[in-house]
Amino acid sequence: MRERTPEVTGAASQHRLGIALVVAAAIAWSTAPFFTRLLAYDSWTILFWRGLFGGGLIAAMMVLLQGRAGLQELTRMGKSGWLVASYSTAAMIAFIPALQLTSVSNVAIIIATGPFLAAALAWAWLREIPRLRTMLASVVALCGVAIILGNARAGSDILGIALACFMALAIAAMTVMVRRHKGTSMVAAAAISNILGSVVSIPFAHGIAGVTGYDLFILAMFGFFQVAIGLTLFFVGSRLLPSSQAALISTLETPLMPFWVWLAFAEVPGIRVLIGGALVMGAVIADIIGDNRAQRQSG
């Protein structure tokens, strides 16, 4: 085996770090249905408080850890940061109404198209050719989520699925933009996107002033864990990975969403969810293992 240079070793280490961060982000994102089920408010009220807590935490941590430099990142964010923040805000605005208008499984299958959308946008914007192994794994993951679906209803499902499609496209665009501008700090964009989500929610929210102390605690946990931690980990991790791979790993959110609902509310997932979830997780794990083997052989 050839001796690895420090540059190759460093790149491999950064790649593994990116995988770990995006996996952690997917776990954090997957808790959204759990928190949503605990809150009996309209989606705009939830978006307002979740964004306020999430954005506030990220901004406070930036200032605490970086001092004046962190404050400057927040107030002098460049065009690329504002674009990422806008895509993220659009996805957040669509996500909770989608969960409320259709089933978790229906939203999940739309999310699972993310690797293909990200790969297409990355090819168009960056001329980044997706790896065959990752695209094959994405096909398996999509098939797994298609098995989970299988029972879409008419009526409100249509609007919920449309919102989920819009969200998936926004997330794919955000992923590619983070990759394209990987020399720019995107943590500030995560904070701004949450704050923008809160501002947009104000005219439509009906229960902002009627939230109880206990529900404020739930909303704070929602914002801190699912949004602030999830977005920050994804922004930092996805800049270290090809866009299609980052999007593929994030589909781990799909089988985990029904898992949290089952764990907390004893809502037993059907056989479709179990089989489809196994395919999704197997596809992501196979891609990660194949990626590690390829890196060892190249070293």
Side-chain angles (χ1 to χ4, degrees), residues 189-222:
I192 296 299
S193 68
N194 280 276
I195 294 170
L196 285 176
S198 291
V199 172
V200 171
S201 302
I202 291 174
F204 309 102
H206 303 299
I208 291 178
V211 176
T212 66
Y214 174 76
D215 287 341
L216 276 177
F217 173 77
I218 299 298
L219 286 161
M221 293 300 98
F222 199 174

Side-chain angles (χ1 to χ4, degrees), residues 149-209:
L149 178 59
N151 61 343
R153 306 182 308 273
S156 65
D157 265 356
I158 296 174
L159 179 56
I161 289 173
L163 286 168
C165 289
F166 176 77
M167 175 194 66
L169 183 60
I171 291 175
M174 178 186 76
T175 303
V176 177
M177 284 296 296
V178 171
R179 176 72 171 172
R180 181 177 185 179
H181 299 281
K182 55 185 177 181
T184 303
S185 173
M186 290 294 176
V187 179
I192 296 299
S193 68
N194 280 276
I195 294 170
L196 285 176
S198 291
V199 172
V200 171
S201 302
I202 291 174
F204 309 102
H206 303 299
I208 291 178

Side-chain angles (χ1 to χ4, degrees), residues 59 61-75 188:
M61 290 301 295
M62 288 182 66
V63 174
L64 182 64
L65 296 175
Q66 299 176 263
R68 183 173 295 181
L71 187 61
Q72 288 178 345
E73 284 188 21
L74 287 166
T75 56

Side-chain angles (χ1 to χ4, degrees), residues 85-171:
S86 298
Y87 292 140
S88 178
T89 301
M92 284 191 293
I93 289 173
F95 185 46
I96 290 185
L99 285 176
Q100 293 182 327
L101 289 170
T102 188
S103 68
V104 171
S105 298
N106 288 357
V107 175
I109 193 174
I110 306 301
I111 294 174
T113 64
F116 304 100
L117 293 172
L121 293 177
W123 178 83
W125 292 352
L126 311 179
R127 295 303 178 202
E128 182 179 277
I129 300 175
R131 292 173 301 186
L132 178 61
R133 181 184 62 251
T134 297
M135 295 313 296
L136 288 175
S138 299
V139 171
V140 174
L142 182 59
C143 290
V145 184
I147 292 173
I148 293 174
L149 178 59
N151 61 343
R153 306 182 308 273
S156 65
D157 265 356
I158 296 174
L159 179 56
I161 289 173
L163 286 168
C165 289
F166 176 77
M167 175 194 66
L169 183 60
I171 291 175

